[in-house]
Amino acid sequence: MIDVTLPSRKDDDPDNVFLLGQVISMGIRWHHSAIHWFSVLALTVIGPGTAPIAGAETDDLVTGSASTQLSAEPIAEGAGQSELSDAMSRIRELETLVAALQAESLNRAPLTLPTWEEPRYQPPSQLDPSTHDGVYDSGWTWRPRDPEASPFELTAGLHNQFRYTGFARDEATSVDSAGNVREINNRNDFNINRGRLVFSGYAFDEDLRFYSNIDYSTVTSNPIQLLLGWISFRMSDRLSIHLGLGKLPGTWEWTETSRYTLGADRTMATTFFRPSITAGMWAKGKLTDDVSYHVLVGNGFNTLSLQASELDTQLAYSALSWWEPLEEFGRGFSDIENHPSLAIRLGQGLTQTGNSSSSNADPAAEQTVIRLSDGTRLIEPNAIAPGVTVNAFDIWLYSAHFGVKRRGFSFSSEVFLRWLRNIEGDNGTMLPSLFDHGFFVQGGAFVIPQTLELFARASQVNGEYGSGNEVSAGFNWHLFNQRSARFTFDVTSIDDSPAQQSRTGYVAGESGTLFRSQLWTFF
């Protein structure tokens, strides 16, 4: 019997009926040759033991030996011959029927069974489940493959300012306007002045951005703190709104990141006059294609480390605008971009706020960084008048700046004008207003394009309580022909510094020579 497996179809399918007939025909052709053999074999077994098998069709089976004997019981001769004759007749009828069926089947198309190619093994489809790719773009960036389907991007960056500071004093002490004797120390130390772990990117929409700057340092009272952080929304090319903790943009060198200063740090004049960091809201953008702006409304002149109970109810207002009439000036003060043609920047800034003390805070807590021109803190008892401690005042700060860049050469300058008005003592005494002014100038030139830059700078602060100045020179070595790794060395001569700030290295009242060498890396 032949086993043929057919494709699964409905029983009443005409193709099924045809295929079944073909299979039956195959079976009939096989039986046509087999019926004769099995029939003769059966008749031989049941026939007489001594009689040879008759019929032409059996000749091939009896040619072996005429004396073949079967052990069956003898059968009567007449009955045996009759039964044999009937059987042979039936065999011939069957052969005739089979031959007819075979002839009919030959008139049909030959049987062709469908064939199937053995399918190759296909592993189950494994879709890549990831939606983002990791790339380097000024930090390690986790960037979506499809921003519309996965609107989230995150960049993590590490900034580090490692510095050696040496200072050789001219005098061991100085005296401030309040009569306090200040000790001046020599220095010879290594520090991390600024370390920053920065996270930035966008979420939900490419125009909804975020920024977080976690600061670590070995020279500040808070070794780890949130320095800057905000959420911003880009309305258009002309306007972006920011909410969070940011800089009051009152002066140019202060607004520029400390990574892009010309020397090791910001100048002494900027350190003295600049505003600081506060929580608030601000806007940045362009008024025209070549006029940019940055305006802020916040809690105060310097409220980074203050709690809500230490804040007064007077807000700070600060703005900076600048004009670049020829081509884009670029970041910072060095012409590492090597501008082929002249780039000019002109700008100005204005900051105003009132300061007053609160019932559970130190007198005028917000203005603790405001100093007189000799470096005395404004709220120091007896600073302005004997027996009087300043308890409230208003501050107005105006700045104007100018900068040029071309073919590796750069020059920049900023002028500062500051008014302290409505000064009130703790006993209700109204004190006279104070006016201070100052400036810085600096210039640099690349002696090896985009690699080695020589620079020099100077700054000065003048006021009713004295004046101070600095002159500095040094070099910048950009290790990879870009800003991301810069080694700086400078030597600064200081005379009666009015500024004090732990990161920059200035100390109020000091005179002497300051040595700084540092490596700024950010990636």
Side-chain angles (χ1 to χ4, degrees):
M1 181 164 184
I2 297 177
D3 183 13
V4 178
T5 303
L6 297 176
S8 176
R9 292 180 179 267
K10 295 182 180 180
D11 294 339
D12 57 354
D13 192 328
D15 293 338
N16 263 359
V17 175
F18 172 71
L19 289 175
L20 182 59
Q22 293 283 50
V23 173
I24 293 174
S25 298
M26 290 178 60
I28 290 173
R29 287 195 294 271
W30 183 84
H31 282 290
H32 176 69
S33 59
I35 286 175
H36 179 84
W37 288 92
F38 283 110
S39 300
V40 172
L41 179 60
L43 292 174
T44 303
V45 172
I46 65 174
T50 59
I53 299 175
E57 294 86 350
T58 62
D59 289 345
D60 293 337
L61 295 177
V62 298
T63 56
S65 174
S67 61
T68 301
Q69 299 289 328
L70 297 178
S71 60
E73 290 292 334
I75 302 175
E77 183 177 355
Q81 292 294 336
S82 176
E83 291 176 358
L84 179 61
S85 177
D86 291 342
M88 293 302 295
S89 297
R90 292 177 182 178
I91 290 174
R92 291 187 180 93
E93 291 177 359
L94 290 174
E95 288 179 341
T96 302
L97 177 62
V98 168
L101 291 174
Q102 183 177 9
E104 182 181 358
S105 68
L106 291 175
N107 295 327
R108 294 176 177 262
L111 175 66
T112 56
L113 297 177
T115 59
W116 296 273
E117 182 180 355
E118 183 70 19
R120 297 180 180 179
Y121 173 73
Q122 296 291 337
S125 176
Q126 296 182 351
L127 298 177
D128 186 354
S130 62
T131 58
H132 289 66
D133 292 317
V135 299
Y136 179 78
D137 185 5
S138 300
W140 180 252
T141 299
W142 195 40
R143 178 162 293 159
R145 297 175 179 175
D146 184 352
E148 293 185 1
S150 304
F152 178 82
E153 180 175 300
L154 173 65
T155 297
L158 179 64
H159 306 169
N160 196 79
Q161 182 185 36
F162 179 77
R163 178 186 295 174
Y164 165 77
T165 301
F167 179 72
R169 64 191 181 187
D170 291 345
E171 301 288 342
T173 60
S174 65
V175 181
D176 64 18
S177 61
N180 300 315
V181 178
R182 297 176 292 205
E183 183 179 357
I184 308 300
N185 297 314
N186 291 324
R187 291 189 62 178
N188 184 37
D189 52 72
F190 294 98
N191 279 289
I192 297 176
N193 288 54
R194 296 176 180 89
R196 307 279 162 76
L197 184 59
V198 178
F199 299 96
S200 61
Y202 66 82
F204 308 124
D205 189 280
E206 291 189 58
D207 290 328
L208 182 62
R209 309 196 68 85
F210 61 87
Y211 179 90
S212 179
N213 184 330
I214 301 173
D215 177 81
Y216 61 91
S217 174
T218 61
V219 298
T220 60
S221 58
N222 295 321
I224 300 177
Q225 66 176 344
L226 176 65
L227 187 70
L228 298 169
W230 61 74
I231 296 292
S232 67
F233 189 76
R234 177 182 173 274
M235 308 294 290
S236 68
D237 292 338
R238 304 295 191 191
L239 174 64
S240 293
I241 303 296
H242 298 67
L243 308 172
L245 192 63
K247 293 180 179 180
L248 281 80
T251 73
W252 182 22
E253 193 180 27
W254 162 243
T255 305
E256 288 285 350
T257 172
S258 56
R259 302 191 305 271
Y260 298 154
T261 57
L262 188 61
D265 219 302
R266 298 183 177 99
T267 61
M268 184 181 68
T270 295
T271 304
F272 178 83
F273 285 106
R274 69 160 176 82
S276 192
I277 296 172
T278 190
M281 57 187 301
W282 61 98
K284 300 174 68 175
K286 287 180 173 291
L287 295 175
T288 66
D289 290 342
D290 51 13
V291 176
S292 303
Y293 68 90
H294 182 177
V295 297
L296 176 145
V297 178
N299 288 335
F301 201 77
N302 178 23
T303 63
L304 172 62
S305 59
L306 298 184
Q307 300 177 2
S309 60
E310 298 174 300
L311 299 174
D312 58 34
T313 59
Q314 303 183 69
L315 298 178
Y317 306 90
S318 184
L320 185 71
S321 64
W322 59 97
W323 177 41
E324 298 176 359
L326 301 180
E327 63 174 283
E328 186 176 352
F329 190 82
R331 301 298 302 272
F333 301 94
S334 296
D335 187 26
I336 190 173
E337 301 89 356
N338 197 29
H339 285 74
S341 57
L342 187 65
I344 297 177
R345 171 168 168 154
L346 291 167
Q348 59 184 343
L350 180 65
T351 302
Q352 190 279 327
T353 187
N355 293 268
S356 60
S357 64
S358 59
S359 59
N360 59 347
D362 292 335
E366 287 192 35
Q367 75 275 1
T368 55
V369 296
I370 303 300
R371 296 178 180 272
L372 303 177
S373 58
D374 69 342
T376 305
R377 289 196 312 164
L378 179 62
I379 65 167
E380 190 74 28
N382 308 313
I384 294 181
V388 176
T389 300
V390 172
N391 198 45
F393 70 97
D394 295 339
I395 182 171
W396 290 81
L397 173 65
Y398 175 79
S399 67
H401 65 263
F402 169 73
V404 296
K405 291 180 178 179
R406 186 175 185 271
R407 298 187 182 277
F409 169 79
S410 63
F411 173 83
S412 54
S413 178
E414 192 163 15
V415 175
F416 309 96
L417 307 175
R418 189 186 73 179
W419 294 266
L420 302 178
R421 304 176 65 247
N422 300 321
I423 303 174
E424 181 182 343
D426 56 351
N427 57 5
T429 304
M430 297 301 297
L431 302 170
S433 299
L434 298 175
F435 172 69
D436 303 294
H437 58 93
F439 68 91
F440 76 77
V441 293
Q442 58 185 5
F446 278 88
V447 294
I448 300 177
Q450 299 180 309
T451 301
L452 183 61
E453 177 187 33
L454 304 180
F455 68 85
R457 64 183 188 173
S459 74
Q460 188 174 71
V461 175
N462 299 287
E464 298 181 28
Y465 287 84
S467 63
N469 59 77
E470 67 169 343
V471 177
S472 180
F475 67 86
N476 293 312
W477 177 25
H478 297 272
L479 274 63
F480 304 106
N481 300 335
Q482 54 185 332
R483 298 182 188 274
S484 58
R486 172 172 66 106
F487 177 79
T488 300
F489 174 78
D490 62 15
V491 180
T492 305
S493 176
I494 300 174
D495 185 20
D496 295 328
S497 171
Q500 179 163 320
Q501 216 263 350
S502 58
R503 298 185 193 271
T504 59
Y506 297 108
V507 176
E510 71 180 3
S511 296
T513 304
L514 177 66
F515 303 89
R516 292 176 295 192
S517 59
Q518 72 179 24
L519 178 64
W520 243 127
T521 55
F522 40 99
F523 42 80

